[in-house]
Amino acid sequence: MSAIILKAIEEAKAPLTLKNLQKRTRIGADELARLLASETERGSIHRWPETRGQQRFWHHSPDETLREQILQAASECALPPPALAKQAKKRMPPGHPAKLIASAVQQLIRDNQLHKYPGFGKEKLLLGREGCPAAYAKAAQSAIQAIMDKLSAEGVHLQTLPAQDLESAMLEAMGRIEPSRTAPVSIGELRAAVPQASKRAFDEAALNLRVRKRAFLSRHDFPQSLPPDEREALIDGRDGTYYVAITARTE
């Protein structure tokens, strides 16, 4: 009977309540409860937080699933803590307690899995996944775009940097990030340092710096393996190639 329970739980797309498990397995309540307790103790299934007083079980750990969803959201865009918790809640199976999500966010900060960034405007703090500066770059671009949209609605239109000025700004930013000018700078870091540039203008400027032999671009070996949002954060070579880093040429 354990095999029947395990099969039902592994096939489920979300945690199952006792009522749902009874319906799927046609096992009596007492026997089902005994088998679930045994399999939970073995670690083959996991008990999830109750919803509306109903026990729930799944083959994924609730703690690990929650951590993965928080980190995934934080790798896509840096967010204020409440917004990150809200985004994670949307990604979790229905009924996951908000208090547990907020607690998990704080634990990930203590574990150095989430990086604290300065906020924009009224937001004092943004959280992005450690090692994913592109998340902060996206937050910066979103903040600037919101300002530009607001000004545009009031009839004020800002001019973006001319291509030549943008290339100079990128080279200067690369020098600040990597003073030795010998090591590559990640594209995420550089985007965050030049937030006034749109993605298209930034990518075109980087490609032009390579053509003009002012910089080297480091190609990603397998961009098709990346989720669309992560691939979008890279430099698009317009020919199927994507670049993850840029290095100033010194000669």
Side-chain angles (χ1 to χ4, degrees):
M1 287 190 181
S2 290
I4 297 174
I5 295 172
L6 293 175
K7 185 174 185 295
I9 289 177
E10 288 175 0
E11 290 177 348
K13 295 182 179 180
L16 294 175
T17 64
L18 285 173
K19 184 176 180 179
N20 284 333
L21 275 168
Q22 275 189 281
K23 185 176 181 180
R24 294 188 182 207
T25 63
R26 301 185 182 278
I27 298 175
D30 292 341
E31 179 66 7
L32 180 60
R34 184 187 69 78
L35 292 169
L36 286 171
S38 175
E39 293 301 327
T40 301
E41 186 176 351
R42 288 180 54 217
S44 54
I45 60 174
H46 301 273
R47 182 169 174 174
W48 280 62
E50 294 184 3
T51 178
R52 297 180 181 178
Q54 299 229 13
Q55 296 179 20
R56 297 187 298 168
F57 298 86
W58 209 17
H59 59 297
H60 295 299
S61 161
D63 292 340
E64 287 303 313
T65 301
L66 178 54
R67 286 171 65 90
E68 288 173 7
Q69 296 304 328
I70 293 172
L71 291 174
Q72 180 61 36
S75 70
E76 295 171 3
C77 184
L79 297 167
L84 178 58
K86 185 176 181 180
Q87 185 62 233
K89 185 174 179 62
K90 290 180 180 179
R91 296 164 179 252
M92 290 292 287
H96 207 76
K99 288 184 178 180
L100 292 182
I101 297 175
S103 177
V105 169
Q106 293 303 313
Q107 185 59 52
L108 285 168
I109 294 174
R110 291 191 290 270
D111 292 343
N112 296 319
Q113 295 294 304
L114 290 174
H115 186 85
K116 293 181 179 180
Y117 292 102
F120 308 105
K122 296 180 180 179
E123 300 296 345
K124 295 182 178 180
L125 171 69
L126 299 178
L127 296 176
R129 186 169 186 170
E130 187 67 37
C132 293
Y136 189 50
K138 185 172 182 179
Q141 290 168 348
S142 297
I144 290 172
Q145 189 61 52
I147 294 171
M148 294 181 71
D149 290 345
K150 184 176 180 180
L151 290 173
S152 180
E154 296 175 359
V156 179
H157 301 281
L158 298 180
Q159 296 294 323
T160 57
L161 285 176
Q164 197 67 34
D165 291 346
L166 176 55
E167 291 171 22
S168 297
M170 290 169 67
L171 289 170
E172 289 175 7
M174 289 163 64
R176 293 194 302 271
I177 296 170
E178 182 49 58
S180 70
R181 292 182 173 270
T182 58
V185 174
S186 78
I187 298 307
E189 284 184 291
L190 188 55
R191 285 195 197 280
V194 193
Q196 69 270 35
S198 67
K199 171 176 169 52
R200 181 174 180 177
F202 181 99
D203 289 5
E204 289 180 353
L207 293 170
N208 198 42
L209 284 172
R210 182 188 61 174
V211 171
R212 293 174 53 216
K213 298 184 178 180
R214 301 292 306 279
F216 297 103
L217 293 177
S218 301
R219 182 182 301 183
H220 192 287
D221 292 333
F222 188 26
Q224 293 77 14
S225 66
L226 298 174
D229 57 290
E230 292 185 23
R231 190 165 59 245
E232 179 71 9
L234 305 182
I235 291 174
D236 186 350
R238 308 287 191 264
D239 59 358
T241 58
Y242 288 82
Y243 300 94
V244 296
I246 184 170
T247 308
R249 293 185 65 161
T250 55
E251 66 271 20

